[in-house]
Coordinates of all heavy atoms in Angstrom, one line a residue:
A42 N 94.5 91.0 116.5 CA 95.7 91.3 115.8 C 96.8 90.3 116.1 O 97.5 89.8 115.2 CB 96.2 92.7 116.3
E43 N 97.0 89.9 117.4 CA 98.0 88.8 117.7 C 97.7 87.5 117.0 O 98.6 86.8 116.5 CB 98.0 88.6 119.2 CG 98.7 89.8 119.9 CD 98.7 89.7 121.4 OE1 97.9 88.9 122.0 OE2 99.4 90.4 122.1
N44 N 96.4 87.2 116.9 CA 96.0 85.9 116.2 C 96.3 86.0 114.7 O 96.9 85.1 114.1 CB 94.5 85.6 116.4 CG 94.3 85.1 117.8 OD1 95.1 84.5 118.5 ND2 93.0 85.2 118.2
F45 N 96.0 87.2 114.1 CA 96.2 87.3 112.7 C 97.7 87.3 112.3 O 98.1 86.7 111.4 CB 95.6 88.6 112.2 CG 95.7 88.8 110.7 CD1 94.9 88.0 109.8 CD2 96.6 89.7 110.1 CE1 95.0 88.2 108.4 CE2 96.7 89.8 108.7 CZ 95.9 89.1 107.9
Y46 N 98.5 87.9 113.1 CA 99.9 88.1 112.9 C 100.7 87.0 113.7 O 101.9 87.2 113.8 CB 100.4 89.5 113.2 CG 99.9 90.5 112.2 CD1 98.9 91.4 112.5 CD2 100.5 90.5 110.9 CE1 98.5 92.3 111.5 CE2 100.1 91.5 110.0 CZ 99.1 92.3 110.3 OH 98.7 93.3 109.4
S47 N 100.1 85.9 114.1 CA 100.8 85.0 114.9 C 102.1 84.4 114.3 O 103.0 84.0 115.0 CB 99.9 83.8 115.3 OG 99.4 83.1 114.2
I48 N 102.1 84.4 112.9 CA 103.3 83.9 112.2 C 104.5 84.7 112.6 O 105.7 84.2 112.5 CB 103.1 83.9 110.7 CG1 104.2 83.1 110.0 CG2 102.9 85.3 110.2 CD1 103.9 82.9 108.5
H49 N 104.4 85.9 113.1 CA 105.5 86.8 113.4 C 105.7 86.9 114.9 O 106.6 87.7 115.3 CB 105.2 88.2 112.9 CG 105.0 88.3 111.4 ND1 106.0 87.9 110.5 CD2 104.0 88.7 110.6 CE1 105.5 88.1 109.3 NE2 104.3 88.6 109.3
K50 N 105.1 86.1 115.7 CA 105.1 86.2 117.2 C 106.5 86.2 117.8 O 106.7 86.7 118.8 CB 104.2 85.3 117.8 CG 104.6 83.8 117.8 CD 103.6 82.9 118.4 CE 103.9 81.5 118.2 NZ 102.8 80.6 118.3
D51 N 107.4 85.5 117.1 CA 108.8 85.3 117.7 C 109.7 86.4 117.1 O 110.9 86.3 117.4 CB 109.3 83.9 117.4 CG 108.5 82.9 118.1 OD1 108.0 83.1 119.2 OD2 108.3 81.7 117.6
K52 N 109.2 87.3 116.3 CA 110.1 88.3 115.7 C 110.2 89.5 116.6 O 109.2 89.9 117.3 CB 109.6 88.6 114.3 CG 109.7 87.3 113.4 CD 109.6 87.6 112.0 CE 109.7 86.3 111.2 NZ 108.8 86.2 110.1
D53 N 111.3 90.2 116.5 CA 111.5 91.4 117.3 C 110.5 92.5 117.1 O 110.1 93.3 118.0 CB 112.9 92.0 117.0 CG 114.0 91.2 117.4 OD1 113.8 90.3 118.3 OD2 115.2 91.3 116.9
F54 N 109.9 92.6 115.9 CA 109.0 93.7 115.6 C 107.5 93.4 115.9 O 106.6 94.2 115.8 CB 109.1 94.0 114.1 CG 108.7 92.9 113.1 CD1 107.3 92.6 112.8 CD2 109.7 92.1 112.6 CE1 107.0 91.6 112.0 CE2 109.3 91.1 111.7 CZ 108.0 90.8 111.4
F55 N 107.3 92.2 116.5 CA 105.9 91.8 116.7 C 105.1 92.7 117.6 O 104.0 93.1 117.3 CB 105.9 90.4 117.3 CG 104.5 89.8 117.6 CD1 103.7 89.4 116.5 CD2 104.0 89.6 118.8 CE1 102.4 88.9 116.7 CE2 102.7 89.1 119.0 CZ 101.9 88.8 117.9
S56 N 105.6 93.1 118.7 CA 104.9 94.0 119.6 C 104.6 95.4 119.0 O 103.5 95.9 119.2 CB 105.6 94.2 121.0 OG 106.8 94.8 120.8
D57 N 105.6 95.9 118.2 CA 105.4 97.2 117.5 C 104.3 97.0 116.5 O 103.5 97.9 116.2 CB 106.7 97.7 116.9 CG 107.6 98.2 118.0 OD1 107.2 98.6 119.1 OD2 108.9 98.2 117.7
L58 N 104.3 95.9 115.8 CA 103.3 95.6 114.7 C 101.9 95.6 115.3 O 101.0 96.2 114.8 CB 103.6 94.3 114.0 CG 102.6 93.8 113.0 CD1 102.4 94.7 111.9 CD2 103.0 92.4 112.6
I59 N 101.8 94.9 116.5 CA 100.4 94.8 117.1 C 100.0 96.2 117.6 O 98.8 96.6 117.4 CB 100.5 93.8 118.3 CG1 100.9 92.4 117.8 CG2 99.1 93.8 119.0 CD1 100.0 91.9 116.6
K60 N 100.9 96.9 118.2 CA 100.6 98.3 118.6 C 100.1 99.2 117.5 O 99.2 99.9 117.6 CB 101.8 98.9 119.3 CG 101.6 100.2 120.0 CD 102.8 100.7 120.7 CE 102.6 102.0 121.5 NZ 103.7 102.4 122.2
F61 N 100.8 99.1 116.3 CA 100.5 99.9 115.2 C 99.1 99.4 114.6 O 98.3 100.3 114.3 CB 101.6 99.7 114.1 CG 101.2 100.3 112.7 CD1 100.8 101.6 112.6 CD2 101.2 99.4 111.6 CE1 100.5 102.1 111.4 CE2 100.8 99.9 110.4 CZ 100.4 101.3 110.3
M62 N 98.9 98.1 114.5 CA 97.7 97.7 113.8 C 96.4 97.9 114.7 O 95.3 97.8 114.2 CB 97.8 96.2 113.4 CG 98.8 96.0 112.3 SD 98.4 96.9 110.8 CE 96.9 96.1 110.3
T63 N 96.6 98.1 116.0 CA 95.5 98.4 116.9 C 95.4 99.9 117.2 O 94.6 100.3 118.0 CB 95.6 97.6 118.2 OG1 96.9 97.9 118.8 CG2 95.6 96.1 117.9
S64 N 96.2 100.7 116.5 CA 96.3 102.2 116.8 C 95.2 103.0 116.2 O 95.0 104.1 116.5 CB 97.6 102.7 116.4 OG 97.7 102.7 115.0
G65 N 94.4 102.4 115.2 CA 93.4 103.1 114.6 C 92.6 102.2 113.7 O 92.9 101.0 113.6
P66 N 91.6 102.7 112.9 CA 90.8 101.9 112.1 C 91.6 101.3 110.9 O 92.6 101.9 110.5 CB 89.7 102.8 111.6 CG 90.3 104.2 111.7 CD 91.2 104.1 112.9
I67 N 91.1 100.2 110.4 CA 91.7 99.6 109.2 C 90.5 99.3 108.3 O 89.3 99.2 108.7 CB 92.5 98.3 109.5 CG1 91.6 97.3 110.2 CG2 93.7 98.7 110.3 CD1 92.3 95.9 110.3
T68 N 90.8 99.1 107.0 CA 89.8 98.5 106.1 C 90.3 97.2 105.6 O 91.4 97.1 105.2 CB 89.6 99.5 104.9 OG1 89.1 100.8 105.4 CG2 88.6 98.9 103.9
I69 N 89.4 96.2 105.7 CA 89.8 94.8 105.3 C 88.9 94.5 104.0 O 87.8 94.9 103.9 CB 89.5 93.8 106.4 CG1 88.1 93.9 106.9 CG2 90.5 94.0 107.5 CD1 87.7 92.8 107.9
C70 N 89.6 93.9 103.0 CA 88.9 93.6 101.8 C 89.2 92.2 101.3 O 90.4 91.8 101.3 CB 89.3 94.5 100.7 SG 88.9 96.2 101.0
A71 N 88.2 91.5 100.8 CA 88.4 90.2 100.1 C 88.3 90.6 98.6 O 87.3 91.3 98.2 CB 87.4 89.2 100.5
L72 N 89.2 90.2 97.8 CA 89.2 90.7 96.4 C 89.3 89.4 95.5 O 89.8 88.4 95.8 CB 90.5 91.5 96.1 CG 90.7 92.8 97.0 CD1 92.0 93.4 96.8 CD2 89.6 93.8 96.7
K73 N 88.8 89.6 94.3 CA 88.7 88.6 93.3 C 89.2 89.1 91.9 O 88.9 90.2 91.5 CB 87.3 88.1 93.1 CG 87.1 87.0 92.1 CD 85.6 86.5 92.1 CE 85.4 85.4 91.1 NZ 84.0 85.0 91.1
K74 N 90.1 88.3 91.3 CA 90.6 88.6 90.0 C 91.4 87.4 89.5 O 92.0 86.7 90.4 CB 91.5 89.8 90.0 CG 92.1 90.2 88.7 CD 93.0 91.4 88.8 CE 93.6 91.7 87.5 NZ 94.7 92.7 87.6
N75 N 91.5 87.1 88.3 CA 92.5 86.1 87.8 C 93.9 86.5 88.2 O 94.2 87.7 88.2 CB 92.4 85.9 86.3 CG 91.2 85.2 85.8 OD1 90.5 84.5 86.6 ND2 90.8 85.5 84.6
N76 N 94.7 85.6 88.7 CA 96.0 85.8 89.2 C 96.0 86.9 90.3 O 96.9 87.7 90.4 CB 97.0 86.3 88.0 CG 97.1 85.2 87.0 OD1 97.3 84.1 87.2 ND2 96.9 85.7 85.7
A77 N 95.0 86.8 91.2 CA 94.8 87.9 92.2 C 96.0 88.1 93.0 O 96.4 89.3 93.2 CB 93.6 87.5 93.0
V78 N 96.6 87.1 93.6 CA 97.7 87.3 94.5 C 98.9 87.9 93.9 O 99.4 88.9 94.4 CB 98.1 85.9 95.2 CG1 99.4 86.1 96.0 CG2 97.0 85.4 96.1
I79 N 99.3 87.4 92.7 CA 100.5 88.0 92.1 C 100.2 89.4 91.6 O 101.1 90.3 91.8 CB 100.9 87.1 90.9 CG1 101.4 85.7 91.4 CG2 102.0 87.7 90.0 CD1 101.6 84.7 90.4
D80 N 99.1 89.6 90.9 CA 98.8 90.9 90.5 C 98.7 92.0 91.6 O 99.1 93.1 91.4 CB 97.5 90.9 89.6 CG 97.6 90.3 88.3 OD1 98.7 89.9 87.9 OD2 96.6 90.2 87.6
F81 N 98.1 91.5 92.7 CA 98.0 92.5 93.8 C 99.3 92.8 94.5 O 99.6 93.9 94.8 CB 97.0 91.9 94.9 CG 96.5 93.0 95.8 CD1 95.6 94.0 95.4 CD2 97.0 93.1 97.1 CE1 95.2 95.0 96.2 CE2 96.6 94.1 98.0 CZ 95.7 95.0 97.5
R82 N 100.2 91.8 94.6 CA 101.5 92.0 95.1 C 102.3 93.0 94.2 O 103.0 93.9 94.7 CB 102.3 90.7 95.2 CG 101.7 89.7 96.2 CD 101.7 90.1 97.6 NE 103.1 90.1 98.1 CZ 103.3 90.4 99.4 NH1 102.4 90.7 100.3 NH2 104.6 90.5 99.8
N83 N 102.1 92.9 92.9 CA 102.7 93.9 92.0 C 102.1 95.3 92.2 O 102.8 96.3 92.1 CB 102.6 93.4 90.5 CG 103.4 92.2 90.2 OD1 104.5 92.0 90.8 ND2 103.0 91.4 89.3
L84 N 100.8 95.3 92.4 CA 100.1 96.6 92.6 C 100.6 97.3 93.9 O 100.8 98.5 93.9 CB 98.6 96.4 92.6 CG 97.8 97.6 92.9 CD1 98.0 98.7 91.9 CD2 96.3 97.2 93.0
I85 N 100.8 96.6 94.9 CA 101.1 97.2 96.2 C 102.6 97.5 96.3 O 103.0 98.5 97.0 CB 100.6 96.4 97.4 CG1 101.3 95.1 97.6 CG2 99.1 96.3 97.4 CD1 100.9 94.3 98.9
G86 N 103.5 96.8 95.7 CA 104.9 97.0 95.7 C 105.6 96.4 96.8 O 105.1 95.7 97.7
D87 N 106.9 96.7 96.8 CA 107.8 96.1 97.8 C 107.4 96.5 99.3 O 106.8 97.6 99.5 CB 109.3 96.7 97.6 CG 110.3 96.0 98.3 OD1 110.5 96.3 99.5 OD2 111.0 95.1 97.8
T88 N 107.7 95.6 100.2 CA 107.3 95.8 101.6 C 107.9 97.2 102.1 O 107.2 97.9 102.9 CB 107.9 94.7 102.5 OG1 107.4 93.4 102.0 CG2 107.4 94.8 103.9
D89 N 109.1 97.5 101.7 CA 109.7 98.8 102.1 C 109.3 99.8 101.0 O 109.7 99.8 99.9 CB 111.2 98.7 102.1 CG 111.9 99.9 102.6 OD1 111.2 101.0 102.7 OD2 113.1 99.9 102.9
P90 N 108.4 100.8 101.4 CA 108.0 101.8 100.4 C 109.1 102.5 99.7 O 109.0 103.0 98.6 CB 107.2 102.8 101.3 CG 106.8 102.0 102.5 CD 107.9 101.0 102.7
K91 N 110.3 102.6 100.4 CA 111.4 103.3 99.7 C 112.0 102.5 98.6 O 112.6 103.0 97.7 CB 112.5 103.6 100.7 CG 112.1 104.6 101.8 CD 113.1 104.7 102.9 CE 112.7 105.7 104.0 NZ 111.6 105.2 104.8
E92 N 111.7 101.2 98.6 CA 112.2 100.2 97.6 C 111.1 99.9 96.5 O 111.4 99.3 95.5 CB 112.7 98.9 98.2 CG 113.8 99.1 99.2 CD 115.1 99.5 98.6 OE1 115.4 99.1 97.4 OE2 115.8 100.4 99.2
A93 N 109.9 100.3 96.8 CA 108.7 100.0 96.0 C 108.8 100.8 94.7 O 109.2 102.0 94.7 CB 107.4 100.3 96.7
N94 N 108.4 100.2 93.6 CA 108.4 100.9 92.3 C 107.4 102.1 92.4 O 106.4 102.0 93.0 CB 107.9 99.9 91.2 CG 108.9 98.9 90.8 OD1 110.1 99.1 91.0 ND2 108.5 97.8 90.4
P95 N 107.8 103.2 91.7 CA 106.9 104.4 91.6 C 105.5 104.0 91.1 O 105.4 103.1 90.2 CB 107.6 105.3 90.6 CG 109.1 104.8 90.7 CD 109.0 103.3 90.9
G96 N 104.5 104.6 91.7 CA 103.2 104.3 91.3 C 102.5 103.2 92.1 O 101.3 103.0 91.9
T97 N 103.3 102.4 92.8 CA 102.7 101.3 93.6 C 102.0 101.9 94.8 O 102.4 103.0 95.2 CB 103.7 100.2 94.0 OG1 104.7 100.8 94.8 CG2 104.3 99.5 92.8
I98 N 101.1 101.2 95.4 CA 100.4 101.8 96.6 C 101.3 102.1 97.7 O 101.2 103.1 98.3 CB 99.2 100.8 97.0 CG1 98.1 100.8 95.9 CG2 98.6 101.2 98.3 CD1 97.1 99.8 96.1
R99 N 102.2 101.2 98.0 CA 103.2 101.4 99.1 C 104.1 102.6 98.8 O 104.4 103.4 99.7 CB 104.0 100.2 99.4 CG 103.1 99.1 100.1 CD 103.9 97.9 100.4 NE 103.2 97.0 101.3 CZ 103.4 95.7 101.3 NH1 104.3 95.1 100.5 NH2 102.6 94.9 102.1
S100 N 104.5 102.8 97.5 CA 105.4 103.9 97.2 C 104.6 105.2 97.4 O 105.2 106.3 97.7 CB 105.9 103.8 95.8 OG 104.9 104.1 94.8
M101 N 103.3 105.2 97.2 CA 102.5 106.4 97.3 C 102.0 106.7 98.7 O 101.9 107.9 99.1 CB 101.3 106.3 96.3 CG 101.6 106.2 94.9 SD 100.3 105.7 93.8 CE 99.1 107.0 94.1
Y102 N 101.7 105.7 99.5 CA 101.0 105.9 100.8 C 101.8 105.4 102.0 O 101.5 105.7 103.1 CB 99.6 105.3 100.8 CG 98.8 105.9 99.7 CD1 98.4 105.1 98.5 CD2 98.3 107.2 99.7 CE1 97.6 105.6 97.5 CE2 97.5 107.7 98.7 CZ 97.2 106.9 97.6 OH 96.4 107.4 96.6
G103 N 102.8 104.6 101.8 CA 103.6 104.0 102.9 C 104.6 105.0 103.4 O 105.1 105.9 102.6
T104 N 104.9 105.0 104.7 CA 105.8 105.9 105.3 C 107.2 105.2 105.5 O 108.2 105.8 105.3 CB 105.3 106.5 106.6 OG1 104.9 105.4 107.4 CG2 104.1 107.4 106.3
D105 N 107.2 103.9 105.9 CA 108.4 103.1 106.1 C 108.0 101.7 106.1 O 106.9 101.3 105.9 CB 109.1 103.6 107.4 CG 108.3 103.4 108.6 OD1 107.5 102.4 108.8 OD2 108.3 104.3 109.5
I106 N 109.0 100.8 106.3 CA 108.8 99.4 106.2 C 107.7 98.9 107.3 O 107.0 98.0 107.0 CB 110.1 98.6 106.3 CG1 109.9 97.2 105.8 CG2 110.7 98.7 107.7 CD1 111.2 96.4 105.5
A107 N 107.7 99.6 108.4 CA 106.8 99.2 109.5 C 105.3 99.7 109.2 O 104.4 99.1 109.6 CB 107.2 99.7 110.8
E108 N 105.3 100.9 108.6 CA 104.0 101.5 108.3 C 103.8 101.7 106.8 O 103.8 102.8 106.3 CB 103.8 102.8 109.1 CG 103.9 102.6 110.6 CD 103.6 103.9 111.4 OE1 103.1 104.9 110.8 OE2 103.8 103.8 112.6

Side-chain angles (χ1 to χ4, degrees):
E43 287 175 344
N44 285 338
F45 184 75
Y46 288 106
S47 63
I48 190 169
H49 300 301
K50 68 182 173 202
D51 296 327
K52 299 193 176 137
D53 292 339
F54 62 83
F55 183 70
S56 63
D57 288 338
L58 173 63
I59 300 308
K60 188 175 182 179
F61 169 59
M62 292 302 295
T63 59
S64 69
I67 61 171
T68 299
I69 55 174
C70 300
L72 304 169
K73 182 178 180 180
K74 180 185 180 189
N75 288 338
N76 301 311
V78 170
I79 293 168
D80 287 357
F81 197 73
R82 298 294 292 180
N83 288 331
L84 173 61
I85 65 175
D87 194 277
T88 304
D89 184 347
K91 294 173 183 69
E92 302 293 322
N94 288 333
T97 59
I98 292 172
R99 286 178 171 156
S100 74
M101 295 169 61
Y102 302 108
T104 53
D105 57 41
I106 198 164
E108 297 186 12

